[in-house]
Amino acid sequence: MSDTLPYAEVIGDPITHSKSPLIHNFWLDALDIEAEYRKTHVTPEGLAAYFLMRRADPDWLGCNVTLPHKIAVMDFTDDPGGVRERIGAMNTIASETGGPLIGTNTDAGGFLQPLLRDKWQGRSAVLVGAGGAARAILFALTSLGVPDITVMARDLAKGQAMLDHAGVKGRAIALGAPLPAADLLVNATSLGMVGQPALDLDLTPLPGGATVYDAVYTPLETGLLKAARGRGLKTLDGLEMLIGQAALAFDIFFDAQAPRHLDADLRALLLSADS
């Protein structure tokens, strides 16, 4: 019998910026669950060895996945929910003792939570990015029935391929091209994150009722959100999606519902960690 606590973790490259351990350990403490949540640096070259090692650990409950692994991890998991076909990226891997690794995606649900809470009913969206997070967000937008979706990407072919995979009759435009007049602008890239170049967009084409949603949460007040607030636009920050997707993953790892009534305290904790 193991003398250590069961644990889950988040993997990525880089990983030092991740706030996931603060979130999950806050909930574990609040619910008095004897387990822990860690963060582990895993490079793309080390991904196969990581899963080989973790599968042999009876205390490992699974992992969340951040940049740049959300697509690559699909090579190591079973997919009973059809996430490969429906989304094309995974951010949550659950370990079944003695069984397969089960991959799923909680990014889509986490992204949707604040839009559903605010009863957002827009008809058009611009999605910046074509990586793993963008694939989940595109799936989420299609589930809302948004009919007009534009993907802005460095690689136009990759952006169009993402639309085609999702069965969306949208269009791909170059990063830095003029924005269309959309009801929602979402940044699903690392641009604007600490240590990364800024996402420099002219928000003038956005109508006054538009919402700007930045998945970056380090820093919380990105240049994009600051510019949006300067125009009086509605904004949603990266903690909204981060906490939402974490709550879904928490249930998977620890078989317990996250205490979302403590969100205000959790948000204060996360903000104090930046100060």
Side-chain angles (χ1 to χ4, degrees):
M1 179 178 294
S2 172
D3 58 359
T4 60
L5 291 174
Y7 70 97
E9 60 192 335
V10 59
I11 63 170
D13 180 27
I15 199 60
T16 54
H17 68 283
S18 177
K19 295 184 185 297
S20 293
L22 281 173
I23 296 171
H24 286 268
N25 288 318
F26 174 85
W27 288 334
L28 289 170
D29 288 344
L31 297 175
D32 199 25
I33 295 174
E34 293 190 356
E36 61 181 338
Y37 188 98
R38 311 168 180 174
K39 57 185 172 185
T40 300
H41 181 220
V42 178
T43 65
E45 297 78 17
L47 200 57
Y50 164 80
F51 282 117
L52 184 64
M53 178 175 60
R54 286 297 190 262
R55 292 186 71 156
D57 186 346
D59 294 315
W60 184 64
L61 302 174
C63 65
N64 285 124
V65 181
T66 189
L67 291 169
H69 304 314
K70 292 185 180 185
I71 297 173
V73 293
M74 294 190 295
D75 292 338
F76 303 94
T77 64
D78 280 17
D79 182 24
V83 173
R84 286 183 183 87
E85 180 62 28
R86 293 186 299 117
I87 298 179
M90 294 175 177
N91 80 315
T92 303
I93 312 298
S95 175
E96 301 270 333
T97 303
L101 300 181
I102 303 300
T104 189
N105 195 303
T106 63
D107 276 340
F111 168 80
L112 280 177
Q113 286 181 9
L115 294 178
L116 295 174
R117 179 198 65 209
D118 294 347
K119 297 181 172 58
W120 184 81
Q121 295 181 328
R123 302 290 293 168
S124 57
V126 176
L127 174 57
V128 184
R135 292 178 184 223
I137 290 170
L138 179 61
F139 174 79
L141 291 172
T142 60
S143 75
L144 287 179
V146 179
D148 181 4
I149 300 175
T150 301
V151 170
M152 178 177 280
R154 293 189 185 94
D155 186 332
L156 286 178
K158 188 175 179 181
Q160 188 60 53
M162 187 175 75
L163 287 166
D164 294 343
H165 180 271
V168 176
K169 293 181 180 178
R171 59 194 175 280
I173 62 175
L175 187 64
L179 288 174
D183 299 318
L184 176 68
L185 170 65
V186 184
N187 176 31
T189 74
S190 60
L191 293 175
M193 183 185 294
V194 171
Q196 298 293 324
L199 177 58
D200 188 14
L201 297 175
D202 179 6
L203 304 184
T204 303
L206 298 181
T211 297
V212 176
Y213 192 156
D214 198 337
V216 170
Y217 57 84
T218 308
L220 193 60
E221 174 79 347
T222 62
L224 178 65
L225 293 184
K226 185 176 181 180
R229 291 188 184 114
R231 284 206 55 221
L233 302 177
K234 166 77 176 178
T235 60
L236 294 170
D237 62 46
L239 287 187
E240 297 272 11
M241 179 174 171
L242 180 67
I243 294 172
Q245 68 81 23
L248 298 172
F250 186 84
D251 192 4
I252 292 170
F253 296 140
F254 304 110
D255 196 25
Q257 290 191 351
R260 297 300 301 274
H261 63 284
L262 299 177
D263 272 11
D265 293 336
L266 174 57
R267 193 175 178 92
L269 172 67
L270 294 170
L271 292 175
S272 69
D274 284 335
S275 60

